[in-house]
């Protein structure tokens, strides 16, 4: 417990590592591959680093007041001069009751909260959400595909005219063909000897 009852941002710090862009708590390091003999002196091209690789790794036990996010700033850029964080907002609950509660809410991850019983060592972290960060742009779903036309199973074919062989007429024929049903072969006839033995 502290004098301000947990209402100050400097009273809280990160117990665990922050979630990185690649979805990990720690930076992914590719395992070293065995060096193969270079063929014809061809050197491997160096790839440009990805945003996941350029992201700095944040150490634990840093106060939440150091958390800055460009999405909540007025100019769209991180305000390094500001001492307070723009990712959290803290409010008191039950100020006029003996058990005062402090609610610490994360604006970047909607639904992430820390509930603290003021002037005690009891607190709980809870998250209720869909696992998606806050977006400062409106969600615009993709337009549905066009409704397909009704399937036409009949196609037009030209056949000779029975009345005049030199002319042709068009006829509609289904693209589906009727399958002939195949019956099993009949059983072989019984021989006379077998009938006599049975008698």
């Amino acid at each position: 417990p502290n004098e301000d009852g947990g209402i100050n941002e400097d009273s809280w710090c990160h117990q665990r590592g922050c979630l990185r862009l690649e979805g990990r708590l720690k930076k992914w390091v590719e395992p070293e591959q065995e060096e193969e003999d270079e063929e014809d002196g061809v050197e491997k091209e160096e790839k440009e680093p990805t945003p996941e690789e350029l992201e700095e790794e944040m150490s634990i036990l840093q106060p939440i007041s150091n958390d800055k996010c460009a999405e909540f700033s007025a100019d769209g850029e991180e305000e390094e001069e500001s001492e307070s964080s723009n990712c959290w907002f803290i409010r008191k609950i039950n100020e006029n009751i003996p058990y005062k509660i402090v609610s610490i809410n994360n604006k970047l991850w909607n639904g992430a909260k820390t509930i603290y019983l003021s002037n005690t060592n009891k607190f709980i972290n809870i998250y209720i959400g869909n696992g998606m960060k806050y977006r400062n742009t409106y969600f615009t779903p993709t337009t549905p595909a066009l409704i397909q036309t009704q399937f036409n199973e009949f196609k037009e074919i030209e056949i000779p005219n029975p009345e005049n062989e030199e002319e042709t007429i068009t006829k509609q024929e289904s693209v589906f063909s009727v399958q002939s049903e195949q019956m099993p072969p009949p059983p072989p006839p019984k021989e006379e000897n077998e009938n006599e033995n049975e008698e």
Side-chain angles (χ1 to χ4, degrees):
N2 49 17
E3 297 179 357
D4 56 10
I7 196 66
N8 190 2
E9 290 182 351
D10 294 331
S11 304
W12 298 93
C13 62
H14 292 283
Q15 182 182 5
R16 299 181 180 87
C18 298
L19 187 63
R20 299 175 57 83
L21 294 175
E22 55 191 352
R24 299 173 180 267
L25 297 180
K26 295 184 179 180
K27 187 176 181 179
W28 165 253
V29 180
E30 294 185 1
E32 296 181 358
Q33 299 180 356
E34 297 180 359
E35 296 181 358
E36 299 179 355
D37 296 334
E38 296 182 356
E39 297 179 359
D40 301 333
V42 178
E43 297 181 357
K44 296 181 179 179
E45 297 181 358
E46 295 183 358
K47 297 181 180 179
E48 296 182 359
T50 60
E52 289 81 2
E53 295 175 351
L54 296 175
E55 185 182 10
E56 297 180 359
E57 187 172 358
M58 296 179 61
S59 58
I60 61 174
L61 302 181
Q62 287 192 1
I64 64 175
S65 58
N66 294 342
D67 297 344
K68 303 291 190 300
C69 184
E71 296 181 358
F72 302 110
S73 60
D75 300 333
E77 298 180 357
E78 297 182 1
E79 299 176 358
E80 298 180 356
E81 298 179 357
S82 178
E83 296 180 357
S84 61
S85 171
N86 60 358
C87 298
W88 303 86
F89 67 93
I90 304 175
R91 67 189 185 98
K92 292 181 180 180
I93 305 174
N94 301 338
E95 295 186 10
N96 300 324
I97 300 178
Y99 52 91
K100 298 179 182 179
I101 295 176
V102 177
S103 174
I104 307 168
N105 305 275
N106 192 318
K107 295 189 290 185
L108 189 61
W109 292 93
N110 294 324
K113 301 177 182 293
T114 297
I115 309 301
Y116 169 62
L117 185 58
S118 185
N119 296 322
T120 64
N121 57 356
K122 297 179 180 180
F123 69 94
I124 184 173
N125 298 322
I126 187 173
Y127 174 72
I128 302 174
N130 54 8
M132 297 182 65
K133 282 186 177 181
Y134 168 81
R135 300 179 60 182
N136 57 355
T137 56
Y138 292 102
F139 173 71
T140 53
T142 56
T143 56
L146 298 176
I147 299 176
Q148 298 182 355
T149 58
Q150 187 175 2
F151 176 71
N152 185 14
E153 64 169 309
F154 297 98
K155 63 179 181 179
E156 295 182 353
I157 58 174
E158 294 183 354
I159 57 174
N161 190 354
E163 298 179 356
N164 187 359
E165 297 180 354
E166 297 180 356
E167 297 179 357
T168 59
I169 58 176
T170 57
K171 179 184 177 182
Q172 289 187 346
E173 185 179 10
S174 176
V175 296
F176 302 107
S177 60
V178 179
Q179 184 178 2
S180 60
E181 186 176 0
Q182 297 181 359
M183 302 296 293
K190 295 183 179 180
E191 298 180 0
E192 295 180 359
N193 295 333
E194 294 179 359
N195 295 333
E196 292 177 359
N197 293 333
E198 290 178 358
E199 293 176 358

